Amino acid sequence: MRVAQLGSGTPEIAVVAGIHGDEPCGVRAVERLLETDPSVKRPVKLVIANELALERGVRYVDEDLNRAFPGHTEATTHEGQLAAKLADELEHCLTFSMHSTQSHAEPFAIVEALGERARDICPQLPISAIVETGPYADGRLFSEVDTIEIECGLQGSDAAVENAHQLTRAFLTAVDVLPGDTVRRDVPVFELVDRIDKTAADTYEVFVENFQRVEAGSPFAAADGEKQVASEPFYPVLMSPYGYRNVFGYTARKLETLSGSTAAD
């Protein structure tokens, strides 16, 4: 784990990249920030988390780090030990954690629950949606640390790298680390409801777009040509043919749309 800091004092803000070793976009954004060394109004901690997985170009070494929290310093896995160290490093920090996905090209945020700070910050970020994990938060970083996760774009793409850079600067501006103003936008909020399992097969297909309503009776995915049909309406989230080994993604319900306007406006 690599830890750096911009500004002097004790940081209350942190940016984390490299939770997964096959998602380098956030790492590039952190490295770019360190290279430019901008003047900051308050200190910020910058962390590149799973260096060993990054070196090997794999998602994880022993287990998924973002399912390993709280971890333990004497855990039997690399990620189990790292989770405990990372949680300790980020204690008392509002944390911005960057990821990428195989399911959706446009950035979106993931939170355990949409608290007051997330409600204020997320509309200031260039994102297309916010997802509350609901019952699917176990083992993730935000189960231990106040965290806003961001899916920056498609895994391995140049666009995800550029998105990660823009998102990082927008976040740091929103929390008064970097000078300047942000642009507020309307952002829909979704809550995960159920996991969509997939059976063992040679080929998988997905017929729907993430965050677009699927009506009851519509086919939404297939395993070896055998279609799955929606029994009731839902919004697909993190849906992709091969993004996860055992699941297509999740069903979600739409909760609200956060307004980009403020009382001052």
Side-chain angles (χ1 to χ4, degrees), residues 1-5 15-18 27-28 30-35 45-52 54 82 86 89-90:
M1 180 171 62
R2 177 186 176 191
V3 181
Q5 181 172 320
V15 174
V16 175
V27 177
R28 303 290 179 265
V30 168
E31 291 173 341
R32 187 170 172 181
L33 196 63
L34 289 169
E35 288 170 2
K45 183 176 292 189
L46 305 172
V47 180
I48 296 176
N50 200 341
E51 289 187 293
L52 185 56
L54 284 161
L82 183 57
L86 183 57
E89 188 68 46
L90 299 173

Side-chain angles (χ1 to χ4, degrees), residues 8 53 103 123-124 133 141-142 147 158 193 213 220 225 234 236 245:
S8 58
S103 67
Q124 300 181 64
T133 57
L141 175 59
F142 48 53
T147 303
D158 291 338
V193 173
R213 181 180 168 95
F220 59 86
F234 71 92
R245 186 180 62 181

Side-chain angles (χ1 to χ4, degrees), residues 1-239:
M1 180 171 62
R2 177 186 176 191
V3 181
Q5 181 172 320
L6 296 176
S8 58
T10 302
E12 296 179 342
I13 302 295
V15 174
V16 175
I19 291 283
H20 295 133
D22 59 354
E23 299 175 3
C25 60
V27 177
R28 303 290 179 265
V30 168
E31 291 173 341
R32 187 170 172 181
L33 196 63
L34 289 169
E35 288 170 2
T36 56
D37 192 22
S39 297
V40 294
K41 299 167 65 177
R42 58 189 295 206
V44 58
K45 183 176 292 189
L46 305 172
V47 180
I48 296 176
N50 200 341
E51 289 187 293
L52 185 56
L54 284 161
E55 289 172 4
R56 297 182 182 181
V58 296
R59 184 174 179 83
Y60 54 81
V61 176
D62 296 315
E63 63 173 320
D64 189 332
L65 177 57
N66 210 28
R67 301 296 185 273
F69 292 94
H72 196 282
T73 54
E74 297 183 4
T76 59
T77 66
H78 167 68
E79 281 81 10
Q81 294 181 23
L82 183 57
K85 296 174 184 177
L86 183 57
D88 183 64
E89 188 68 46
L90 299 173
E91 188 176 11
H92 306 309
C93 286
L94 172 61
T95 299
F96 185 75
S97 178
M98 288 179 284
H99 296 261
S100 56
T101 177
Q102 294 185 34
S103 67
H104 198 63
E106 295 182 17
F108 60 96
I110 303 177
V111 296
E112 182 175 15
L114 194 58
E116 184 177 342
R117 284 210 286 189
R119 281 181 172 273
D120 176 56
I121 292 169
C122 287
Q124 300 181 64
L125 307 177
I127 58 176
S128 59
I130 303 167
V131 176
E132 287 189 342
T133 57
Y136 298 101
D138 287 352
R140 300 178 76 122
L141 175 59
F142 48 53
S143 66
E144 294 297 310
V145 178
D146 188 6
T147 303
I148 297 173
E149 286 189 4
I150 296 289
E151 297 287 355
C152 298
L154 294 177
Q155 188 175 346
S157 67
D158 291 338
V161 174
E162 186 57 33
N163 289 342
H165 173 66
Q166 293 179 6
L167 285 156
T168 301
R169 294 194 67 89
F171 170 76
L172 293 178
T173 302
V175 296
D176 207 33
V177 170
L178 294 177
D181 299 314
T182 59
V183 176
R184 288 183 173 268
R185 53 187 54 79
D186 294 348
V187 187
V189 182
F190 301 85
E191 181 185 34
L192 299 185
V193 173
D194 200 5
R195 184 172 54 202
I196 305 172
D197 295 324
K198 63 182 181 183
T199 58
D202 293 324
T203 60
Y204 298 102
E205 299 170 273
V206 167
F207 309 126
V208 295
E209 296 292 331
N210 283 287
F211 304 112
Q212 300 300 312
R213 181 180 168 95
V214 176
E215 299 297 341
S218 299
F220 59 86
D224 281 346
E226 184 174 346
K227 293 181 179 179
Q228 294 191 30
V229 177
S231 59
E232 58 185 14
F234 71 92
Y235 289 88
V237 173
L238 290 166
M239 284 276 287

